[in-house]
C-alpha cells in the first residue's frame, strides 16, 4: 500500500509539472472563405514569399531557356535546373527537375528536355552536403485550425509517414520535442559518425513557417516546404522546394 501511494504521488507530481507548461491554443485568425478560388504559387513565388519572411533558400535565379546557361555560370557549377509552373507541384514525378548539372552542355540539355513543361526555369546552386531532409508544413485542422507539421521529407515523405504535429502558438521547446519524437531524429544527432545537423536552424525555420502561416491565416490553404535541407551544425538549413496555396480573395503578391 505504501509503494502504491508513492507511485500515485509520483504520477500526480508529473501531471502537475506538465500542466504548468500547457498554454491555451489561440486561433490563428479567420479561415479563408469557403468556396473561394484558390491560387497555387509556383516554386519561385513561394520561395520569394518565404525568403522575405526569413526562410533561407538556395542561391538561384529565374530564367528563360536562353538565359539558363548564363545564370548557371554566374552561380557556379554544379547547379539544379527546374521547370517553373504552378501546375507542377510534384516536379520529380513530372520529370521537371535535373540535379547536379556540371557544365553548360548539361544545362542546355536539361532545359531542352523540360521545354514542354514550362518556358521558365529556376536555376539554383546544387547543395550536396545536407545531413537530412525534412518536411515542414502548415495545414488546417477542423478543430484546432492551423497546425504545423514536421517530419522526414524528400521523395519518401508519403512512404515513411514519419511526422509530428505542433499546435500554435509553439515555443522552441515544443518544436524541439516534436523533432526528437521523429524516427528521423538520429539523422540530426550524428547518426553513425555523420555530422550533426543544425537543429537550431531547423527550429528557426519552423518558426518562420508558423509566422508566415499565422500572418496569412485568412487566405492560407496549404503550405509545404519539402525538402528542407538540414546542413551540418552551424551551417543552417535551405528550403529546396516550397508549395503555397492561397485563396485569391484579398490576394496580395
Amino acid at each position: 500500500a505504501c509503494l502504491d501511494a508513492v507511485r500515485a504521488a509520483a504520477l500526480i507530481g508529473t501531471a502537475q509539472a506538465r500542466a504548468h507548461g500547457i498554454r491555451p491554443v489561440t486561433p490563428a485568425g479567420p479561415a479563408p472563405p469557403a468556396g473561394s478560388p484558390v491560387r497555387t504559387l509556383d516554386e519561385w513565388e513561394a520561395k520569394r514569399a518565404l525568403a522575405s519572411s526569413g526562410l533561407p533558400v538556395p542561391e538561384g535565379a529565374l530564367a528563360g531557356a536562353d538565359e539558363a546557361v548564363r545564370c548557371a555560370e554566374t552561380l557556379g557549377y554544379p547547379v539544379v535546373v527546374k521547370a517553373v509552373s504552378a501546375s507542377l507541384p510534384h516536379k520529380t514525378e513530372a520529370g521537371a527537375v535535373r540535379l547536379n548539372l556540371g557544365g553548360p552542355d548539361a544545362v542546355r540539355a536539361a532545359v531542352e528536355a523540360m521545354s514542354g513543361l514550362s518556358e521558365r526555369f529556376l536555376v539554383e546552386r546544387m547543395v550536396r552536403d545536407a545531413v537530412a531532409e525534412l518536411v515542414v508544413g502548415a495545414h488546417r485542422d477542423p478543430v484546432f485550425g492551423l497546425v504545423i507539421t514536421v517530419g522526414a521529407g524528400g521523395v519518401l515523405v508519403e512512404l515513411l509517414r514519419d511526422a509530428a504535429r505542433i499546435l500554435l502558438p509553439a515555443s522552441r521547446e515544443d518544436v524541439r520535442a516534436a523533432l526528437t519524437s521523429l524516427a528521423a531524429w538520429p539523422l540530426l544527432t550524428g547518426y553513425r559518425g555523420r555530422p550533426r545537423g543544425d537543429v537550431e536552424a531547423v527550429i528557426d525555420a519552423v518558426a518562420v513557417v508558423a509566422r508566415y502561416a499565422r500572418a496569412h491565416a485568412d487566405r492560407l490553404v496549404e503550405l509545404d516546404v519539402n525538402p528542407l535541407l538540414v546542413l551540418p551544425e552551424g551551417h543552417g538549413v535551405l528550403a529546396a522546394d516550397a508549395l503555397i496555396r492561397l485563396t485569391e480573395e484579398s490576394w496580395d503578391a
Side-chain angles (χ1 to χ4, degrees):
C2 178
L3 292 176
D4 287 342
V6 170
R7 179 175 180 275
L11 291 174
I12 292 171
T14 300
Q16 290 175 335
R18 289 177 177 171
H20 289 306
I22 295 176
R23 299 181 308 282
V25 175
T26 58
S36 177
V38 175
R39 176 185 173 186
T40 300
L41 276 64
D42 62 40
E43 182 180 349
W44 173 255
E45 293 174 315
K47 282 183 172 177
R48 292 304 100 197
L50 292 172
S52 67
S53 296
L55 186 68
V57 300
E59 185 180 359
L62 189 66
D66 57 344
E67 303 169 319
V69 170
R70 178 179 56 81
C71 289
E73 292 180 342
T74 299
L75 291 170
Y77 295 104
V79 297
V80 177
V81 176
K82 304 178 185 181
V84 175
S85 171
S87 63
L88 293 171
H90 303 291
K91 286 180 281 295
T92 300
E93 293 87 339
V97 181
R98 297 292 189 276
L99 303 174
N100 203 29
L101 303 178
D105 291 342
V107 172
R108 291 190 190 94
V111 168
E112 182 177 354
M114 295 185 289
S115 60
L117 300 174
S118 177
E119 297 179 352
R120 300 182 303 148
F121 301 90
L122 179 56
V123 184
E124 292 182 329
R125 187 185 299 276
M126 181 76 185
V127 180
R128 295 187 292 185
D129 55 349
V131 301
E133 295 185 355
L134 299 179
V135 58
V136 180
H139 304 85
R140 292 195 172 274
D141 182 275
V143 176
F144 296 107
L146 283 172
V147 175
I148 302 300
T149 301
V150 296
V155 296
L156 299 178
V157 60
E158 295 181 358
L159 177 63
L160 297 180
R161 298 189 181 278
D162 176 27
R165 289 155 59 91
I166 306 169
L167 299 182
L168 298 176
S171 67
R172 294 184 71 85
E173 291 72 23
D174 294 331
V175 178
R176 193 184 305 276
L179 290 172
T180 58
S181 73
L182 300 176
W185 170 249
L187 295 176
L188 301 178
T189 60
Y191 183 68
R192 292 195 172 185
R194 289 174 57 83
R196 294 176 61 87
D198 199 330
V199 174
E200 297 305 315
V202 174
I203 296 174
D204 290 339
V206 174
V208 171
V209 170
R211 186 164 61 247
Y212 181 92
R214 291 178 69 86
H216 298 82
D218 60 334
R219 289 176 288 146
L220 184 65
V221 176
E222 181 183 5
L223 190 165
D224 271 310
V225 176
N226 181 36
L228 179 73
L229 301 178
V230 185
L231 304 179
E233 193 169 30
H235 293 273
V237 297
L238 290 169
D241 200 353
L243 169 71
I244 298 177
R245 299 177 67 232
L246 296 159
T247 58
E248 291 189 353
E249 289 190 11
S250 302
W251 165 251
D252 181 7

